[in-house]
């Protein structure tokens, strides 16, 4: 009996279990690390992280836009009142001008927030209305400074409207790119799901089926919209109702992309002839 065995037996006599061998401890640490890595690299977790960034960007942009429009309210009221006595009816009515313009602008930005999430392009009149409301706010906010020839006043009252204008234009593109980032992150994570996930219990980690690729050499490339559409088109059979939920089940695409895929495939099937539908199977 060597010294290590005698020490372990002595510890066990006093009611304390002997320490596990170093190899067993390392194996337990490795299993725990593998499980954590499988969750951290799961496609849904990756997409959720991007969604959280999107929410933070939306809140910050909305806060800046609302504060900028609030700053311009006093100057617009002064412009509309045009020296009328305080608390008179025209003076009180002048306070309605800035909220009228600002509410229309906020409504357009709110609509673009939803359309940008699903990458739906708005018409030309939407951008014209946004630019007109921003231009009207800028002119009314800086009119007195331009008339008085005050350079500092022009600069001071130009900054908030211009910030609102730039933010209103930039936030739409940012949301559009964040939507693409969610789809790209999900597709990339799906292509490189950790191999140890297969060794974990089924309830712990569910590895989604990767969409079929047209070319095996491009399996590591981001899955495009056309590739997802091809997978959905091949999976469709007569009698199946094309819906975003069905598209997500057969392609494992993101929730935002599934609506576009479902609409495109439904339009194709609606316009196809019976022979074409047979080929789609």
């Amino acid at each position: 009996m060597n010294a290590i065995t005698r020490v372990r037996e002595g510890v066990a006599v006093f009611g304390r279990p002997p320490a596990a061998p170093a190899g067993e401890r390392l194996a337990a640490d490795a299993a725990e690390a593998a499980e954590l890595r499988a969750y951290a690299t799961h496609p849904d977790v990756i997409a959720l992280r991007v969604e959280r960034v999107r929410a933070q960007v939306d809140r910050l942009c909305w806060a800046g836009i609302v504060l900028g429009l609030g700053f311009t309210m006093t100057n617009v009221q002064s412009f509309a009142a045009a020296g009328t006595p305080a608390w008179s009816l025209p003076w009180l009515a002048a306070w309605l001008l800035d909220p009228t313009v600002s509410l229309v602008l906020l409504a357009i930005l709110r609509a673009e927030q939803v359309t940008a999430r699903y990458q739906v392009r708005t018409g030309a009149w939407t951008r014209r209305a946004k630019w007109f409301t921003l231009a009207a706010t800028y002119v009314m906010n800086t009119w007195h400074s331009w008339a008085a020839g005050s350079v500092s006043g022009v600069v001071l009252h130009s900054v908030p409207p211009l910030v609102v204008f730039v933010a209103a234009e930039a936030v739409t593109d940012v949301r559009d790119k964040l939507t693409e980032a969610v789809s790209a992150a999900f597709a990339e994570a799906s292509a490189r799901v950790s191999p140890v996930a297969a060794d974990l219990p089924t309830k712990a980690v569910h590895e989604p089926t990767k969409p079929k690729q047209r070319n095996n050499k491009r399996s590591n490339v981001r899955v495009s919209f056309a590739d997802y559409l091809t997978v959905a088109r091949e999976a469709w059979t007569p009698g199946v109702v094309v819906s975003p939920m069905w598209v997500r089940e057969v392609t494992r695409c993101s929730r935002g992309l599934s609506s576009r895929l479902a609409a495109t495939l439904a339009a194709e099937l609606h316009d196809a002839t019976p022979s074409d539908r047979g080929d789609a199977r």
Side-chain angles (χ1 to χ4, degrees):
M1 182 181 296
N2 56 28
I4 296 179
T5 304
R6 289 197 300 270
V7 170
R8 289 179 178 173
E9 291 179 354
V11 173
V13 170
F14 288 96
R16 296 174 58 187
E24 295 182 5
R25 294 196 301 271
L26 290 177
D29 292 340
E32 182 179 0
E35 184 176 1
L36 292 176
R37 185 177 60 179
Y39 280 114
T41 58
H42 194 275
D44 290 333
V45 175
I46 301 297
L48 178 61
R49 290 174 180 172
V50 181
E51 289 284 357
R52 288 176 178 173
V53 174
R54 186 215 301 272
Q56 294 174 359
V57 171
D58 282 340
R59 286 194 293 266
L60 291 175
C61 287
W62 275 109
I65 291 173
V66 171
L67 290 176
L69 292 176
F71 180 85
T72 64
M73 183 178 295
T74 304
N75 294 320
V76 173
Q77 191 276 340
S78 177
F79 169 82
T84 57
W87 302 107
S88 62
L89 187 59
W91 186 88
L92 293 174
W95 285 103
L96 301 178
L97 179 58
D98 185 77
T100 301
V101 179
S102 298
L103 288 176
V104 174
L105 175 60
L106 293 176
I108 296 173
L109 295 179
R110 176 57 179 154
E112 287 186 340
Q113 183 181 22
V114 178
T115 56
R117 181 180 181 85
Y118 298 100
Q119 297 181 324
V120 178
R121 299 297 179 184
T122 55
W125 276 106
T126 303
R127 175 153 291 190
R128 292 171 186 170
K130 181 170 61 175
W131 283 7
F132 176 79
T133 53
L134 290 169
T137 301
Y138 176 81
V139 171
M140 293 185 295
N141 194 57
T142 59
W143 182 264
H144 289 307
S145 299
W146 284 110
S150 174
V151 178
S152 60
V154 171
V155 173
L156 175 63
H157 298 300
S158 295
V159 171
L162 292 178
V163 169
V164 172
F165 176 81
V166 173
E169 286 296 317
V171 70
T172 303
D173 293 336
V174 169
R175 290 168 183 153
D176 189 23
K177 296 303 180 182
L178 284 174
T179 299
E180 293 182 1
V182 172
S183 301
F186 187 92
E188 181 181 354
S190 299
R192 58 177 179 82
V193 172
S194 178
V196 299
D199 298 333
L200 298 176
T202 305
K203 295 182 179 180
V205 175
H206 174 68
E207 181 180 357
T209 303
K210 292 185 290 185
K212 296 180 181 179
Q213 300 289 333
R214 279 182 163 182
N215 190 350
N216 293 332
K217 296 181 180 179
R218 301 180 57 189
S219 59
N220 293 328
V221 182
R222 191 185 78 181
V223 182
S224 64
F225 180 86
D227 293 332
Y228 279 122
L229 184 59
T230 301
V231 175
R233 189 184 295 114
E234 293 176 354
W236 180 83
T237 56
V240 174
V241 178
V242 179
S243 64
M245 180 178 298
W246 176 82
V247 171
R248 288 196 299 272
E249 291 178 356
V250 299
T251 65
R252 310 304 299 180
C253 66
S254 63
R255 183 179 295 273
L257 192 60
S258 63
S259 300
R260 293 178 56 203
L261 289 169
T264 304
L265 181 58
E268 291 182 0
L269 297 175
H270 182 268
D271 297 336
T273 60
S275 60
D276 294 334
R277 294 184 182 179
D279 296 337
R281 288 177 294 178

